[in-house]
Each structure stands twice: as structure tokens, then as C-alpha cells.
Amino acid sequence: QTFGKGLVQYFFPVGDDQGGVKVTIAKYLTPSGYDIALQGGLAPDVVCDDFPRSTEGGRGVQVDGCLQVARSIIKNTTASSAAQ
């Protein structure tokens, strides 16, 4: 599962000694009201596990498989939407 706090925090400096207070000012929820911080994360629709990135044929070119998958999904979704 993926996980992020899903919180927006702001640091309010207090005094001259670099100290301060971190305050949560917003919380992200999914459209259905799912709080990812309380439920232990989100299960991804597509799992990509190419981190750290590999290099293609030893030529020093980084191959980002996750980015390629994302581009393919977007391209297919866009093509499907245009056909409707």
C-alpha cells in the first residue's frame, strides 16, 4: 500500500531562535470521504516497482517504467474519452 499523511501543515515561526509551531491547516480526503491517514494508506490501481530506476543497456539512459505505464494509461483514457 502507498501512504501519505494527507495533511497540509504550516510552520509558524516563534521568536528569533528558529523555533516555531507546526499546525495542520487542512486534510485531504478522497471524494467518498476516505481518510488515508486513519485507514493505513491507499492500494494503488497499478503497481510499479522499478525503483531505483534501471539503466537501459548500460548506456546511462534512465528507464522509468512507472512513467511509461502512466503515459500509456493516460493515452488510452484520452482515446476512450474522445471516442465517446
Side-chain angles (χ1 to χ4, degrees):
Q1 287 204 1
T2 61
F3 188 78
K5 288 185 179 180
L7 302 174
V8 178
Q9 296 181 324
Y10 187 80
F11 181 78
F12 293 94
V14 177
D16 296 330
D17 64 354
Q18 303 296 323
V21 177
K22 192 182 292 186
V23 177
T24 299
I25 59 171
K27 177 173 33 172
Y28 289 105
L29 302 175
T30 65
S32 65
Y34 182 83
D35 184 342
I36 64 171
L38 295 178
Q39 304 299 322
L42 297 172
D45 293 331
V46 177
V47 177
C48 290
D49 56 1
D50 72 339
F51 187 81
R53 293 182 179 98
S54 60
T55 56
E56 187 176 276
R59 295 178 294 183
V61 177
Q62 289 190 336
V63 178
D64 191 333
C66 291
L67 183 57
Q68 291 172 347
V69 169
R71 285 180 179 155
S72 175
I73 291 170
I74 291 168
K75 183 178 179 181
N76 292 338
T77 302
T78 304
S80 296
S81 296
Q84 292 179 359

